[in-house]
Amino acid sequence: MADSAQAQKLVYLVTGGCGFLGEHVVRMLLQREPRLGELRVFDRHLGPWLEELKTGPVRVTAIQGDVTEAHEVAAAVAGAHVVIHTAGLVDVFGRASPETIHEVNVQGTRNVIEACVQTGTQFLVYTSSMEVVGPNTKGHPFYRGNEDTLYEAVHRHPYPCSKALAERLVLEANGREVHGGLPLVTCALRPTGIYGEGHQIMRDFYRQGLRLGGWLFRAIPASVEHGRVYVGNVAWMHVLAARELERRAALMGGQVYFCYDGSPYKSYEDFNMEFLGPCGLQLVGARPLLPYWVLVFLAALNALLQWLLRPLVLYVPLLNPYTLAVASTTFTVSTDKAQRHFGYEPLFSWEDSRTRTILWVQAAGSSAQ
Ligand SMILES: NC(=O)C1=CN([C@@H]2O[C@H](COP(=O)(O)OP(=O)(O)OC[C@H]3O[C@@H](n4cnc5c(N)ncnc54)[C@H](O)[C@@H]3O)[C@@H](O)[C@H]2O)C=CC1
Ligand SMILES: C[C@@H](CO)CCC[C@@H](C)[C@H]1CC[C@H]2[C@@H]3[C@H](O)CC4=CC(=O)CC[C@]4(C)[C@H]3CC[C@]12C
């Protein structure tokens, strides 16, 4: 990626490139990265939609692989200029064991870093999460905070623990010498709750509302703000960060950036209604219909049932003590660090993000995807 080789075409690798965010990153790279020569899409489960991308001018290589397998990762990374590591096990519902979550999110990330070092890949962008910071186990609010806001980040749940460990590995790897003698340059992006086309929980809420005759019932007070960011803007931020890492290595290397855009600050449920409302659903109640202690009880009961039933069947309700804590603790960001460091501006306005999401919910809710 030297200046003398302006016309050089670059090889990008996106791990988890067939996931919700990963697909948007892949499509964004193809649309907005003029230096892209080859795009490698690495995922445990490859999506059929990749086929249509193979007919374009950029070489798209689909690689079925597992980030926990070091040799598979090394083979995929070899010869790549930039890695965007977005693969991860996103499980806050108790589907996977804590060991599996750790293996994929922490060991998988370690494998990606080691592969960069061994093969001489110099630029690594990691998809971290707001969960690395909070909400913490004490339920402290994080109100319009930024990357420098002091906050007691204490976790017990395997998902945030794994993301925090993985993020640390990525940041500590900044400056390590890669094969060929150059320094590795890394940064971590921390999205808040991502929404947009492909957001399965949103689709599930829509279908649930349809089953209940068009009604959803408020469980969380409207005053609890939950940070949200549009998937297209998160993808754009990844593409921009990856592009600028070389030019601004000294500034960006080893840094974390919250992902943000113009999405309004609202409670989790009120925010979802921005999309579900125009699709015909209504949120019942200006206040939660059940007292908070009942939700705490139900969440604990769900956790107990999950544990008791585990030998027989996997019981994975949406509500558990962890998801209740996240949904009912204010966590919002207000920052311009990505703008200052690498010129990020959201590509999609709130109006665009909202319209695109509504159209997707309408289509996804009525089809069997
Ligand atoms: N969904 C959200 O609201 C947020 C997500 N994130 C992070 O963004 C990243 C992407 O998340 P989503 O797109 O929402 O999840 P997702 O589950 O849709 O995508 C993850 C992708 O990683 C792949 N993957 C999982 N285990 C793998 C393995 N062992 N080897 C190779 N590929 C594997 C999956 O097949 C999937 O395609 C994750 O790292 C997650 O922690 C961060 C903040 C918020
Ligand atoms: C109490 C229920 C009443 O309607 C609502 C339960 C909603 C929860 C399932 C979600 C509320 C907040 C979500 C999380 C948040 O957006 C932050 C996240 C970041 C990540 O990195 C992964 C996903 C998630 C943990 C996200 C998961 C779903 C919620 C807990």
Side-chain angles (χ1 to χ4, degrees):
M1 284 169 79
D3 276 351
S4 57
Q6 278 299 340
Q8 185 195 0
K9 288 291 184 184
L10 302 179
V11 179
Y12 272 65
L13 170 70
V14 181
T15 71
C18 292
F20 165 41
L21 171 61
E23 177 175 347
H24 284 266
V25 173
V26 163
R27 293 186 186 277
M28 187 65 72
L29 278 168
L30 289 168
Q31 285 165 21
R32 300 256 168 186
E33 183 43 70
R35 294 195 298 169
L36 191 64
E38 181 188 348
L39 178 54
R40 298 179 187 167
V41 183
F42 181 97
D43 204 298
R44 216 149 75 96
H45 305 287
L46 296 176
W49 52 270
L50 276 175
E51 289 308 311
E52 101 212 19
L53 303 183
K54 290 184 179 167
T55 54
V58 172
R59 181 172 164 201
V60 175
T61 313
I63 308 170
Q64 185 169 22
D66 190 327
V67 287
T68 66
E69 297 293 339
H71 65 282
E72 293 182 4
V73 179
V77 170
H81 297 95
V82 184
V83 175
I84 298 180
H85 175 40
T86 187
L89 193 45
V90 185
D91 184 10
V92 292
F93 304 109
R95 275 196 192 90
S97 70
E99 294 74 24
T100 307
I101 294 174
H102 183 93
E103 184 67 10
V104 174
N105 293 351
V106 183
Q107 188 56 41
T109 301
R110 194 175 278 126
N111 290 343
V112 169
I113 295 167
E114 291 310 318
C116 290
V117 170
Q118 282 163 25
T119 66
T121 296
Q122 225 199 319
F123 303 102
L124 170 61
V125 176
Y126 172 61
T127 314
S128 182
S129 168
M130 69 178 242
E131 297 273 303
V132 162
V133 179
N136 62 19
T137 47
K138 298 176 182 173
H140 292 155
F142 186 90
Y143 181 75
R144 318 267 165 106
N146 65 30
E147 291 82 354
D148 298 320
T149 303
L150 292 178
Y151 186 79
E152 201 182 332
V154 189
H155 307 294
R156 268 199 297 269
H157 192 279
Y159 176 75
C161 288
S162 69
K163 294 300 285 186
L165 280 172
E167 184 189 271
R168 202 162 75 212
L169 290 177
V170 169
L171 302 180
E172 285 174 0
N174 182 60
R176 271 183 73 181
E177 189 178 305
V178 304
H179 180 76
L182 293 168
L184 180 62
V185 188
T186 68
C187 73
L189 305 187
R190 294 172 172 169
T192 53
I194 307 173
Y195 70 93
E197 305 95 298
H199 186 210
Q200 297 310 315
I201 300 180
M202 184 84 75
R203 189 205 58 184
D204 293 347
F205 273 118
Y206 181 50
R207 289 188 177 165
Q208 189 191 7
L210 291 180
R211 278 198 301 274
L212 295 172
W215 307 106
L216 287 171
F217 301 93
R218 187 185 293 280
I220 307 295
S223 57
V224 176
E225 283 186 359
H226 186 80
R228 304 293 285 269
V229 59
Y230 176 61
V231 67
N233 287 324
V234 180
W236 173 231
M237 200 162 157
H238 279 70
V239 170
L240 212 53
R243 183 190 297 167
E244 295 298 318
L245 260 187
E246 180 191 26
R247 216 153 54 91
R248 309 184 195 217
L251 180 65
M252 293 176 66
Q255 294 289 323
V256 296
Y257 302 94
F258 278 120
C259 297
Y260 55 90
D261 61 13
S263 304
Y265 299 113
K266 286 189 176 232
S267 77
Y268 188 78
E269 291 166 323
D270 286 299
F271 190 84
N272 285 352
M273 288 314 293
E274 290 283 347
F275 320 104
L276 303 180
C279 293
L281 300 195
Q282 281 199 49
L283 184 63
V284 181
R287 292 190 184 165
L289 295 189
L290 296 173
Y292 184 65
W293 68 264
V294 175
L295 286 180
V296 173
F297 174 77
L298 290 175
L301 185 67
N302 276 340
L304 179 68
L305 283 175
Q306 181 174 73
W307 182 73
L308 289 174
L309 294 172
R310 197 172 281 278
L312 304 170
V313 63
L314 197 56
Y315 173 60
V316 278
L318 205 63
L319 184 69
N320 64 42
Y322 183 73
T323 58
L324 177 61
V326 177
S328 51
T329 307
T330 286
F331 194 104
T332 47
V333 302
S334 173
T335 174
D336 62 353
K337 184 173 175 183
Q339 193 270 326
R340 284 184 284 112
H341 279 209
F342 55 94
Y344 164 77
E345 295 286 352
L347 197 57
F348 301 92
S349 66
W350 159 239
E351 288 70 28
D352 276 356
S353 310
R354 185 169 175 268
T355 305
R356 285 166 177 262
T357 307
I358 292 169
L359 291 174
W360 177 80
V361 173
Q362 283 169 341
S366 55
S367 77
Q369 1 172 341

